[in-house]
């Protein structure tokens, strides 16, 4: 018998430490070819290369992104399978190349880009170059001593907002010298008719867990797992089967994408592959461990997908974030009904039949129910497992829909399509919150905090939305977009304007505020951007201000008014 599990050995290719995780310019293995997934960024890069190739002068194409997001993989794929596109281009990958071990990355980059320095940019030439570069390295280079010779390149990077994670820039400069694609602009999820989905994660999971032709993973599962002596009690086999189940797959994709949006996580393809290994294979797995843990029911539950997602946050940063959205931590009426049902049935199988549609998800539980029926501690383990499994696959949608999240995504979608009409309710809510943030009771006066509790400053202003977006986008599927939505307001009595970029965290706070919540000092610090936004609307050279003084026996009001080019201060 093999000392290692064949399926686990195959899945280890997903780990960061695997040689298969390292992309090389010199080779593109059969495994990497199998794992390749066409993305929009690939088409956009090829289109940009074709455009640059048609131009007579020099051109620089920056392929920008974060560590592990696929820059090296895409360049390597083009080299080995679409090399005709790269004819006439020099390629430099900052992650894999260095000309001289005595030079640091900034010195090496200055040498690579010398044709595009300010001194040589206007010189005639036909140099065409593609540079794959991490955004952190690009930022450090432009801020360095060497970067002082590349002011025009720095302006291009700034104008196209390449280093700004929430903004989408253009693709070239007016002189048609600089071009770029930024992997950060291409999310691993998309907006689809007001919702989010992820064909990319779905296809990636198919590569790993479906019975596709030439799949090394499914082939190993098919020919080895069924013959293994641990087959009936192996959590790794169970996890592999669960992730091939369409309902579980859909549930896992939902968990990943919601967590990315809510916590603003930058998740690369490499991170995803490691994540799927982490939730399939528990950290200390080995056949030796399996021998020691014969018929350990609680361990089995702990190491299956529903619990691997929520009880092993120390394994990775993504699992740590996912853990904070554990279904067990968010009570609802349906959840309480499930508790009552679970505690009153004689056989837990009745609950599984009622809530779990797919037989493969409950087969092991039903087969082993004698091990937990009537044993309170094990029934507790089963209840946790059941709730989380329903969250992933329940046929009646036991998990309450997160309405705040759904609304937020609809607003992001509307902003991405320049759909001003669909943003009206968001404008109404934010306008209300502008007045409420510091405690105003009406929609005409904004309170400004003071350091003296005996005084309060009230500013009477009227604001309106200032929504001047571009033409409505007809597409209902959006792949390049800001993960936030931005609203702009203007004072009615002046040209004073202010904009606020709203992420999910701020959106949740504004919803609470609209429903009566009073922000704390900690909230003021955490949402400093919104506080600054309110101040920008309030303070103007021609603002009328009311100062209210609270003394022991009376309240006095003073008015500071602007009229005829001067201010008048009086008691009212």
């Amino acid at each position: 018998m093999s000392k290692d599990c064949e399926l686990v050995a195959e899945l280890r290719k997903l780990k960061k430490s695997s040689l298969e995780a390292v992309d090389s310019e010199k080779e593109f293995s059969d495994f990497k070819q199998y794992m390749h997934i066409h993305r929009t960024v690939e088409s956009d890069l090829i289109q940009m290369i074709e455009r640059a190739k048609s131009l007579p002068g020099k051109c620089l194409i920056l392929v920008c992104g974060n560590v592990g997001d696929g820059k090296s993989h895409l360049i390597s794929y083009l080299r080995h399978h679409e090399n005709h596109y790269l004819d006439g281009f020099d390629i430099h990958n900052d992650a894999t190349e260095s000309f001289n071990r005595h030079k640091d990355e900034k010195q090496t980059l200055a040498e690579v880009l010398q044709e595009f320095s300010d001194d040589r940019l206007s010189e005639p030439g036909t140099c065409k170059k593609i540079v794959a570069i991490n955004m952190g390295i690009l930022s450090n280079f432009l801020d360095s001593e060497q970067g002082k010779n590349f002011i025009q390149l720095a302006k291009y990077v700034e104008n196209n907002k390449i280093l700004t994670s929430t903004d989408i820039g253009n693709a070239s400069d007016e002189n048609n010298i600089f071009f770029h694609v930024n992997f950060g602009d291409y999310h691993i999820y998309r907006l689809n008719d007001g919702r989010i989905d992820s064909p990319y994660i779905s296809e990636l999971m198919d590569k790993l867990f479906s019975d596709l032709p030439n799949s090394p993973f499914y082939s190993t599962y098919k020919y080895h797992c069924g013959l293994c002596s641990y087959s009936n009690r192996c959590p790794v086999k169970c996890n592999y089967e669960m992730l091939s189940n369409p309902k579980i797959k859909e549930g896992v994709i939902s968990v990943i994408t919601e967590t990315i949006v809510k916590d603003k996580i930058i998740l690369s393809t490499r991170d995803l592959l490691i994540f799927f290994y982490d939730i399939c294979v528990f950290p200390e797995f080995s056949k030796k461990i399996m021998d020691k843990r014969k018929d350990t029911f609680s361990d089995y539950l702990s190491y299956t997908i529903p619990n691997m997602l929520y009880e092993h946050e120390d394994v990775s940063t993504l699992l740590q974030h996912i853990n904070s959205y554990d279904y067990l931590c968010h009570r609802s009426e349906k959840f309480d009904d499930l508790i009552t049902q679970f505690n009153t049935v004689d056989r837990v199988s009745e609950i599984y039949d009622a809530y779990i549609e797919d037989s493969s998800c409950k087969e092991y539980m039903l087969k082993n129910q004698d091990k937990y029926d009537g044993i309170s501690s094990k029934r507790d383990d089963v209840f946790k497992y059941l709730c989380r499994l329903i969250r992933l696959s329940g046929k009646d949608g036991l998990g309450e829909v997160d309405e705040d999240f759904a609304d937020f995504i609809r607003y992001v979608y509307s902003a991405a399509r320049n759909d001003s009409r669909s943003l009206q309710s968001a404008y109404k809510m934010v306008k209300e919150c502008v007045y409420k943030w510091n405690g105003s009771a009406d929609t005409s006066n904004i309170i400004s905090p003071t350091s003296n509790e005996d005084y309060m400053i009230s500013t009477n202003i009227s604001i309106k939305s200032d929504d001047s977006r571009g033409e409505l986008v007809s597409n209902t599927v959006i792949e390049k977009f800001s993960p936030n939505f931005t609203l702009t307001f203007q004072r009615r009595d002046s040209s004073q304007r202010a904009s606020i970029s709203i992420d999910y965290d701020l959106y949740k706070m504004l919803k609470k505020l609209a429903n009566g919540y009073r922000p704390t000092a900690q909230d003021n610090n955490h949402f400093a951007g919104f506080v600054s936004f309110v101040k920008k609307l309030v303070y103007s050279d021609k603002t009328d201000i009311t100062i209210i003084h609270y003394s022991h026996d009376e309240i006095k009001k003073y008015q500071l008014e602007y009229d005829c080019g001067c201010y008048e201060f009086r008691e009212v």
Side-chain angles (χ1 to χ4, degrees):
M1 180 185 290
S2 171
K3 293 182 179 180
D4 199 2
C5 169
E6 287 81 359
L7 180 58
V8 171
E10 193 67 38
L11 290 170
R12 283 202 188 102
K13 291 180 180 179
L14 309 180
K15 289 175 66 69
K16 191 173 183 179
S17 57
S18 167
L19 291 175
E20 292 290 356
V22 181
D23 286 289
S24 169
E25 300 291 332
K26 298 180 180 179
E27 61 177 349
F28 197 79
S29 67
D30 291 341
F31 176 75
K32 287 187 172 67
Q33 173 60 34
Y34 170 75
M35 291 299 296
H36 180 74
I37 297 174
H38 180 84
R39 298 177 65 184
T40 304
V41 64
E42 180 181 330
S43 298
D44 288 353
L45 176 58
I46 290 174
Q47 185 178 11
M48 197 167 293
I49 290 171
E50 291 284 79
R51 181 183 171 192
K53 189 183 294 187
S54 68
L55 297 172
K58 60 178 69 174
C59 293
L60 171 65
I61 299 177
L62 297 176
V63 181
C64 310
N66 295 298
V67 175
D69 57 10
K71 299 182 302 299
S72 297
H73 173 86
L74 180 52
I75 296 297
S76 182
Y77 172 78
L78 292 178
R79 270 189 183 276
H80 290 87
H81 294 278
E82 304 283 355
N83 193 49
H84 59 282
Y85 288 119
L86 303 179
D87 290 343
F89 282 87
D90 291 328
I91 313 293
H92 176 80
N93 188 337
D94 79 332
T96 60
E97 297 183 36
S98 178
F99 292 151
N100 190 323
R101 63 188 180 90
H102 299 296
K103 294 182 179 179
D104 63 25
E105 59 192 20
K106 292 185 283 292
Q107 293 170 324
T108 299
L109 203 52
E111 187 172 328
V112 170
L113 298 176
Q114 58 183 331
E115 286 287 331
F116 302 94
S117 64
D118 297 333
D119 292 340
R120 301 181 63 175
L121 196 60
S122 60
E123 293 180 0
T126 58
C127 174
K128 298 186 186 297
K129 205 174 279 283
I130 297 174
V131 176
I133 186 167
N134 289 330
M135 288 193 284
I137 292 176
L138 177 61
S139 177
N140 290 338
F141 170 72
L142 294 176
D143 289 338
S144 69
E145 190 65 29
Q146 291 84 357
K148 293 179 180 179
N149 299 317
F150 295 86
I151 301 301
Q152 293 306 310
L153 175 60
K155 286 181 179 178
Y156 171 80
V157 169
E158 181 179 1
N159 291 340
N160 284 271
K161 305 173 182 177
I162 294 176
L163 300 177
T164 306
S165 61
T166 58
D167 291 320
I168 308 297
N170 298 315
S172 67
D173 69 329
E174 59 184 12
N175 297 316
N176 286 321
I177 295 177
F178 300 125
F179 301 82
H180 81 279
V181 292
N182 187 351
F183 273 72
D185 293 343
Y186 300 82
H187 305 279
I188 60 174
Y189 60 94
R190 67 182 185 179
L191 300 172
N192 185 355
D193 200 20
R195 298 172 293 105
I196 57 173
D197 61 15
S198 180
Y200 178 68
I201 300 179
S202 179
E203 188 173 350
L204 189 63
M205 292 183 72
D206 285 343
K207 295 272 189 184
L208 301 176
F209 307 111
S210 295
D211 57 343
L212 297 179
N214 305 320
S215 169
F217 303 102
Y218 184 79
S219 177
T220 302
Y221 160 78
K222 181 178 178 180
Y223 291 108
H224 292 283
C225 288
L227 301 175
C228 179
S229 59
Y230 308 109
S231 177
N232 293 329
R233 58 184 181 88
C234 177
V236 177
K237 175 177 176 287
C238 174
N239 290 340
Y240 190 87
E241 292 169 346
M242 275 193 173
L243 290 170
S244 67
N245 179 290
K247 285 189 173 293
I248 297 291
K249 172 184 169 183
E250 183 180 344
V252 170
I253 291 173
S254 174
V255 167
I256 294 171
T257 53
E258 285 191 22
T259 304
I260 290 172
V261 174
K262 289 178 177 180
D263 291 2
K264 296 188 287 188
I265 300 172
I266 298 175
L267 196 66
S268 68
T269 298
R270 186 182 299 169
D271 294 330
L272 269 178
L273 294 175
I274 296 170
F275 167 78
F276 285 124
Y277 176 86
D278 288 339
I279 63 173
C280 265
V281 185
F282 59 92
E284 63 270 34
F285 176 86
S286 69
K287 286 191 172 182
K288 189 175 181 180
I289 292 292
M290 293 295 292
D291 276 332
K292 289 181 178 180
R293 294 181 173 176
K294 291 180 179 178
D295 300 323
T296 308
F297 180 76
S298 295
D299 282 346
Y300 177 90
L301 290 188
S302 177
Y303 296 136
T304 50
I305 292 293
N307 289 332
M308 287 293 287
L309 283 170
Y310 297 106
E311 291 188 352
H312 299 270
E313 67 272 18
D314 56 327
V315 172
S316 72
T317 302
L318 177 56
L319 284 174
Q320 187 176 13
H321 284 276
I322 288 174
N323 179 262
S324 64
Y325 300 107
D326 188 356
Y327 178 55
L328 295 175
C329 299
H330 303 279
R331 300 289 292 270
S332 69
E333 185 177 343
K334 287 185 178 180
F335 183 84
D336 291 338
D337 289 342
L338 179 61
I339 294 175
T340 302
Q341 286 180 265
F342 187 83
N343 289 325
T344 54
V345 296
D346 294 326
R347 303 284 284 178
V348 176
S349 58
E350 298 175 35
I351 302 292
Y352 278 89
D353 288 337
Y355 288 98
I356 307 298
E357 194 169 52
D358 190 87
S359 59
S360 64
C361 292
K362 57 186 177 183
E363 181 180 355
Y364 179 87
M365 301 300 297
L366 299 180
K367 190 183 298 183
N368 291 273
Q369 61 183 330
D370 290 337
K371 295 180 180 178
Y372 54 79
D373 272 332
I375 305 174
S376 60
S377 60
K378 291 189 176 180
R379 279 178 67 97
D380 289 343
D381 293 335
V382 171
F383 181 72
K384 290 193 298 182
Y385 175 86
L386 173 65
C387 289
R388 290 162 175 164
L389 183 59
I390 291 173
R391 162 69 177 89
L392 297 176
S393 67
K395 63 185 179 184
D396 76 332
L398 180 67
E400 297 285 336
V401 175
D402 187 339
E403 293 293 348
D404 286 352
F405 181 74
D407 289 344
F408 174 76
I409 291 299
R410 280 193 288 269
Y411 288 136
V412 172
Y413 173 74
S414 298
R417 296 185 66 232
N418 297 325
D419 185 0
S420 300
R421 182 182 295 274
S422 297
L423 290 168
Q424 287 182 355
S425 56
Y427 270 110
K428 181 179 179 181
M429 180 190 71
V430 174
K431 178 180 177 180
E432 181 182 346
C433 290
V434 167
Y435 291 97
K436 284 186 173 182
W437 187 267
N438 291 312
S440 179
D442 56 48
T443 56
S444 59
N445 290 283
I446 295 179
I447 303 299
S448 299
T450 66
S451 57
N452 190 326
E453 294 183 357
D454 292 336
Y455 290 88
M456 183 175 70
I457 297 176
S458 175
T459 308
N460 183 276
I461 64 171
S462 177
I463 61 175
K464 63 179 181 178
S465 63
D466 181 26
D467 198 274
S468 53
R469 299 176 190 271
E471 184 178 349
L472 180 68
V473 176
S474 59
N475 291 341
T476 58
V477 176
I478 312 291
E479 295 192 355
K480 289 180 66 176
F481 55 90
S482 169
N484 308 331
F485 66 95
T486 299
L487 303 181
T488 302
F489 290 83
Q490 179 184 354
R491 289 181 53 151
R492 294 182 185 274
D493 61 349
S494 73
S495 59
Q496 189 89 345
R497 287 177 174 82
S499 297
I500 182 67
S501 178
I502 301 173
D503 60 13
Y504 179 70
D505 201 25
L506 176 56
Y507 181 76
K508 279 198 309 179
M509 168 55 68
L510 296 178
K511 288 282 287 188
K512 287 170 60 179
L513 186 63
N515 291 325
Y517 177 80
R518 184 73 179 270
T520 64
Q522 185 176 359
D523 293 326
N524 281 320
N525 290 329
H526 187 67
F527 299 103
F530 189 80
V531 173
S532 297
F533 159 72
V534 174
K535 286 181 179 179
K536 189 172 181 180
L537 285 172
V538 169
Y539 296 120
S540 171
D541 291 340
K542 300 177 182 180
T543 300
D544 294 342
I545 297 174
T546 300
I547 301 174
I548 304 173
H549 177 224
Y550 298 91
S551 63
H552 294 294
D553 53 358
E554 62 179 339
I555 298 176
K556 289 187 177 182
K557 291 185 178 181
Y558 303 90
Q559 190 79 36
L560 180 66
E561 293 182 339
Y562 182 85
D563 189 28
C564 298
C566 61
Y567 285 96
E568 178 183 356
F569 185 77
R570 60 188 177 82
E571 184 177 349
V572 294

